[in-house]
Amino acid sequence: MADVLHEEDKLHGLEGMDKQKLKDYWAYSVKLTIYTLIVWAVVTYGCAAIAGSLNSIVIFGFPLGYYMGAQGSLIIYVWLIFNYAFKMNKADKDYGVEEEE
Amino acid sequence: MASVGGKSFLDNLGKIYAIYTGVFILFVIALGIGESMGMSNAAIGYTYMGITIGLYAVIGISSRTAKASEYYVAGRSVPAFFNGMATGSDWMSAASFIGMAGTIFGLGYDGLAYIMGWTGGYVLLAVFLGPYLRKFGQFTIPDFLGARFGGHAARTIGIIAAITASFTYLIAQVTGVGIIMSRFLGLDFTIGVFVGLGGILVCSLLGGMKAVTWTQVAQYIILIIAYLIPPTVMSYKMTGVPVSEIMYGQILQKIDAKEKVINADAKETEVRELWKQEAAKLDADIKGLPGSLDAKKADLQAKIAAITPESPAGEKEKLEKALKALPPDAEVAKEKWDAAKKAAAAKSKPIKPYIEPFARLDMKNMLALTFCLMVGTAGLPHILMRYYTVPSVKDARISCGWSLFFIFLLYFTAPAYAAFARDTVLSNIVGLPIASLPAWMANWAKVGLVSFKDINADGILQFYELTIGADAIVLAMPEMAGLPYVISGLVAAGGLAAALSTADGLLLTISNALSHDLYYKMINPQASILKRLTVSRILLVLTALFSAWVATFKLTIIVELVAWAFSIAAASFFPALVMGIWDKRSNKAGALAGMWIGFTTCLVYMIGSRFYGLDIWGIRTISSGLFGIPLGFIACYAVSRMTAPPSQELQDFVESVRIPRGAAKASTHDD
């Protein structure tokens, strides 16, 4: 029977947790994930799709369409991940699922 | 110094690596002084290689360990910031360091697919996988598949996919090491490969993940210094401000203007016309196959037979060489001439603007490539594995951010590199008399990275008479900027660090998949820690030797294979891992179907489009994962719904993966 968990793969953390809180926490992470992915998709594919017209805007020598592909999107990616990390780390505490110190 | 990885080491990481950075910079300055006092280029090259590899060896040896948790996951005690650095050098390979700026140089806007693809993937990794894998907290990625989807079947596919993706990637790194060694030290390629191999093994053999981690941090520091110096100096020289990342905006404008001038130039038009004729000639040859090949052969043989003692010296050798260079049969001839025809045809048209989107790749292919590279990034086991090494789930999240930040420093600069190089070529090189080209061009022409041919015989270099290999941009930048050789050597050391650090991570992934997943988990679960580590080390050496042996064949398909590795990782790993965490209802049957269908769809399209003319929507081979990724998800979802749900125990397992509470702690003592 393959549908059992091997002893050393067993995980902890659920013991004594409030079911509703777990649900709310997961709903929050799903929401934050979706927001993050929407921004990610718009910055990557949205900007690339209209890069030609964005190029008519020139800032500091940079055509905007080119800039978004070369650097702008990267800055936003870095921000997205840190934003996600800080919000999730805070949510851990708010929902009482943080790691024990 | 305290033992690497020990408590006092971990408490003083910042200080230790700050001192290390300072000493390294002093070392570069000292070499610079040496150069001004007459130190030879070869001596500088050997000093760089000797010192840096020696450094890695010291770290590697002093990180030796006999503990499984240290060998496999560095004791889970790597702080988020330093894991970010290690991931940065684990991730950035010889291709990122040496090749990427050159790709943008050649492809313009469309080359940015690599920039976005290889960074945007970290967003996927950060939200879909990294933190959850840390909560799961075992040793390898197949471990997760094995636990979540029960039994050996999922683990086995995991092992196969991990090894396929990592091994092709590894060969490319070892080849890169050989190329750098042979170019900068003048060593024979094969010897270069094996010397580099020693450098790789000495890092990982004794200390496993722990040693690899602390070496990778050291390698990151060297590679980022090496990468940033040349464009910074270039920017200062050309614009007066030493911040290439901001100043290349003006350069883009200059490039755009210069391209228009070149397109309007009469001599340039003449060259384009000649390429057009060349393409037509090749076309006729291809249509005339196999007769045209026989005719060429017969013609050369007749000329060789007609050679008399009065013929110019070297004439015979030249003709014999030309005869030997002819394709052996019509099929090879067709492929070769087709490629030549395409290249010639490309040179027969005016330059398309550098900043114009989709001028060289069409929009759907550019976006498909970006997508495959992103998903592949999030599915490569040697990267995912790094998130097992941080102390907590919280740290895993932050560490994803630091990883991308450290990668960002290089990728953010690559487009600047490309722009400065393109401007140099357009403004300062094109239009020069062939006789007075700068010395660096001749140097790189010797190793085949730069070539030029005065096809209209006017003694002046036109744009389309020049071919610059992608690798030449980063390697030749110090010379373009007029920097001393000590900086060229530094760039080589940086490229070596990039190749070695990636090779270390890959090698460890492969040997762990074999020793931990195959041997310990499936063949001999009773094996003692000592035995497991011994098996792992033996496999490490064997894998390294095997990869070096394969690399010595210098297969031309390697570069393509690396791109394939991304699509394979994307189509086979990513759907099953994501569904395993995000869809409680996914079960073993679904995961197996998903991995298998993703993997085979991807493989069929790759081989079909590369060799048999398979074509769906005009998607190129390099983006084969585009079909496998969604099909993998759909198959996993559908088959799971058609079969029984996973047991309550497994569903609870998924729930607990989703929350940080209860994660295994960092272990400073043994397990």
Side-chain angles (χ1 to χ4, degrees):
Chain A
M1 185 60 210
D3 220 18
V4 287
L5 211 46
H6 208 271
E7 195 51 44
E8 58 187 26
D9 291 328
K10 288 205 168 123
L11 289 180
H12 301 284
L14 288 179
E15 305 83 1
M17 287 294 302
D18 176 1
K19 277 257 147 70
Q20 191 54 44
K21 262 202 159 153
L22 283 177
K23 241 187 182 158
D24 293 346
Y25 172 74
W26 184 242
Y28 177 80
S29 8
V30 171
K31 203 175 79 187
L32 187 58
T33 301
I34 292 172
Y35 284 154
T36 306
L37 289 176
I38 290 173
V39 178
W40 167 86
V42 168
V43 165
T44 310
Y45 304 103
C47 285
I50 57 163
S53 19
L54 284 181
N55 266 351
S56 57
I57 306 168
V58 177
I59 303 165
F60 206 59
F62 291 105
L64 190 57
Y66 186 91
Y67 188 79
M68 283 311 291
Q71 294 182 323
S73 56
L74 275 64
I75 296 171
I76 295 171
Y77 297 152
V78 174
W79 174 80
L80 272 179
I81 298 182
F82 276 117
N83 174 64
Y84 172 83
F86 287 124
K87 286 206 168 130
M88 283 305 288
N89 287 351
K90 183 172 173 294
D92 288 353
K93 288 203 188 96
D94 294 349
Y95 292 88
V97 295
E98 77 271 29
E99 292 158 287
E100 304 83 347
E101 287 305 321
Chain B
M1 192 176 85
S3 76
V4 173
K7 193 172 174 329
S8 66
F9 173 80
L10 291 174
D11 287 344
N12 293 297
L13 274 172
K15 221 196 281 172
I16 290 169
Y17 280 107
I19 293 171
Y20 161 85
T21 310
V23 170
F24 182 74
I25 291 170
L26 287 179
F27 160 71
V28 174
I29 293 171
L31 269 185
I33 296 170
E35 184 181 1
S36 69
M37 288 165 62
M39 195 172 173
S40 75
N41 288 358
I44 291 175
Y46 275 103
T47 314
Y48 265 121
M49 300 303 159
I51 295 284
T52 55
I53 293 183
L55 251 170
Y56 309 148
V58 169
I59 300 174
I61 292 167
S62 46
S63 312
R64 67 191 170 277
T65 182
K67 297 171 190 167
S69 70
E70 291 194 339
Y71 186 88
Y72 286 110
V73 288
R76 300 194 206 285
S77 57
V78 184
F81 180 83
F82 288 96
N83 188 55
M85 264 194 206
T87 310
S89 64
D90 196 24
W91 173 242
M92 289 184 284
S93 60
S96 290
F97 188 95
I98 301 174
M100 201 170 51
T103 306
I104 303 170
F105 172 93
L107 289 178
Y109 177 89
D110 302 340
L112 299 177
Y114 290 93
I115 294 274
M116 289 191 284
W118 282 342
T119 54
Y122 278 85
V123 177
L124 299 179
L125 195 152
V127 300
F128 279 130
L129 298 171
Y132 303 107
L133 287 173
R134 174 59 189 85
K135 169 65 194 284
F136 170 64
Q138 291 287 344
F139 291 163
T140 67
I141 300 309
D143 264 343
F144 178 78
L145 296 172
R148 171 66 177 85
F149 299 117
H152 290 337
R155 189 187 287 272
T156 307
I157 301 184
I159 295 171
I160 294 172
I163 292 177
T164 318
S166 303
F167 193 74
T168 46
Y169 210 175
L170 175 62
I171 295 168
Q173 302 314 310
V174 177
T175 309
V177 170
I179 290 173
I180 293 169
M181 289 283 196
S182 59
R183 266 184 213 150
F184 280 87
L185 302 184
L187 287 176
D188 177 62
F189 178 80
T190 312
I191 297 174
V193 163
F194 282 94
V195 170
L197 195 70
I200 296 169
L201 280 177
V202 85
C203 298
S204 46
L205 190 61
L206 297 174
M209 192 60 158
K210 179 180 161 197
V212 167
T213 302
W214 301 119
T215 324
Q216 282 175 339
V217 174
Q219 285 162 331
Y220 178 80
I221 292 168
I222 291 182
L223 81 84
I224 201 69
I225 293 175
Y227 200 81
L228 297 183
I229 287 179
T232 305
V233 173
M234 193 79 159
S235 170
Y236 179 69
K237 285 198 168 169
M238 287 172 80
T239 66
V241 182
V243 188
S244 63
E245 295 84 350
I246 296 174
M247 298 316 290
Y248 82 91
Q250 326 177 347
I251 303 296
L252 287 176
Q253 298 298 322
K254 229 175 121 192
I255 291 172
D256 205 42
K258 191 70 196 173
E259 282 170 344
K260 291 196 178 94
V261 173
I262 287 178
N263 281 341
D265 185 84
K267 284 284 178 194
E268 294 282 354
T269 317
E270 184 184 298
V271 168
R272 288 199 292 270
E273 192 50 44
L274 287 169
W275 279 116
K276 202 173 181 176
Q277 290 165 16
E278 174 74 16
K281 222 168 75 194
L282 282 161
D283 189 54
D285 280 344
I286 294 167
K287 288 207 176 99
L289 275 171
S292 56
L293 181 64
D294 294 337
K296 277 183 199 289
K297 220 179 261 172
D299 179 48
L300 282 171
Q301 276 159 348
K303 274 189 188 151
I304 291 172
I307 278 183
T308 58
E310 290 85 57
S311 305
E315 182 71 13
K316 184 158 180 251
E317 286 73 21
K318 212 173 108 194
L319 288 169
E320 273 171 352
K321 216 173 143 195
L323 184 64
K324 235 177 144 182
L326 277 183
D329 57 57
E331 206 168 308
V332 180
K334 187 173 180 316
E335 193 171 329
K336 224 172 145 182
W337 292 349
D338 257 336
K341 186 184 109 184
K342 259 193 208 144
K347 291 179 174 181
S348 68
K349 296 188 192 95
I351 311 173
K352 286 185 177 154
Y354 184 71
I355 51 170
E356 184 187 305
F358 319 123
R360 293 159 183 89
L361 275 178
D362 57 300
M363 181 160 152
K364 68 180 179 251
N365 265 305
M366 194 252 179
L367 295 183
L369 178 59
T370 309
F371 181 71
C372 288
L373 294 176
M374 281 183 171
V375 180
T377 300
L380 280 175
H382 73 289
I383 296 300
L384 292 172
M385 194 167 83
R386 286 230 54 95
Y387 297 96
Y388 283 134
T389 69
V390 291
S392 68
V393 176
K394 238 167 36 200
D395 288 313
R397 292 185 185 127
I398 299 285
S399 193
C400 289
W402 285 123
S403 302
L404 184 57
F405 174 77
F406 287 118
I407 292 164
F408 163 87
L409 288 183
L410 189 146
Y411 281 42
F412 192 66
T413 309
Y417 246 105
F420 281 108
R422 194 163 173 99
D423 180 48
T424 303
V425 168
L426 293 177
S427 307
N428 305 343
I429 307 286
V430 169
L432 281 183
I434 303 245
S436 57
L437 290 175
W440 63 264
M441 289 185 66
N443 287 343
W444 292 103
K446 257 184 268 168
V447 288
L449 275 181
V450 171
S451 64
F452 40 90
K453 183 173 160 197
D454 188 11
I455 69 167
N456 64 346
D458 65 347
I460 305 282
L461 187 74
Q462 269 82 31
F463 181 73
Y464 279 132
E465 291 178 342
L466 174 67
T467 311
I468 295 192
D471 291 351
I473 300 305
V474 168
L475 293 176
M477 178 66 94
E479 290 156 276
M480 283 188 211
L483 287 165
Y485 188 79
V486 68
I487 301 299
S488 300
L490 176 63
V491 168
L496 190 69
L500 289 179
S501 55
T502 306
D504 278 334
L506 292 165
L507 200 53
L508 208 56
T509 306
I510 297 169
S511 77
N512 288 356
L514 292 170
S515 70
H516 175 78
D517 290 303
L518 186 67
Y519 175 72
Y520 173 59
K521 289 285 181 171
M522 289 162 69
I523 298 174
N524 184 7
Q526 269 77 47
S528 67
I529 289 179
L530 181 69
K531 199 162 181 192
R532 284 157 62 193
L533 293 191
T534 309
V535 169
S536 184
R537 283 171 178 145
I538 292 169
L539 285 165
L540 203 66
V541 175
L542 291 179
T543 313
L545 286 175
F546 184 60
S547 66
W549 179 71
V550 176
T552 56
F553 291 103
K554 291 204 210 178
L555 302 171
T556 46
I557 201 162
I558 298 285
V559 184
E560 266 179 89
L561 283 178
V562 170
W564 292 19
F566 275 85
S567 276
I568 289 177
S572 55
F573 265 122
F574 190 73
L577 288 173
V578 170
M579 291 299 267
I581 294 164
W582 287 78
D583 179 35
K584 238 193 285 182
R585 184 65 178 74
S586 278
N587 59 17
K588 182 182 175 182
L592 292 180
M595 283 196 275
W596 197 240
I597 288 175
F599 184 71
T600 42
T601 309
C602 179
L603 215 59
V604 165
Y605 194 78
M606 266 175 193
I607 295 172
S609 63
R610 174 68 176 78
F611 299 105
Y612 301 101
L614 177 66
D615 187 342
I616 303 176
W617 303 332
I619 295 295
R620 303 188 320 154
T621 308
I622 195 169
S623 315
S624 297
L626 188 68
F627 305 106
I629 299 162
L631 281 180
F633 274 108
I634 293 169
C636 184
Y637 183 89
V639 173
S640 296
R641 260 68 185 174
M642 288 186 280
T643 45
S647 65
Q648 190 56 42
E649 191 187 29
L650 272 172
Q651 299 202 23
D652 287 347
F653 169 82
V654 176
E655 290 235 323
S656 54
V657 162
R658 292 172 177 180
I659 60 166
R661 177 181 284 265
K665 294 246 179 50
S667 64
T668 33
H669 53 85
D670 206 301
D671 43 38

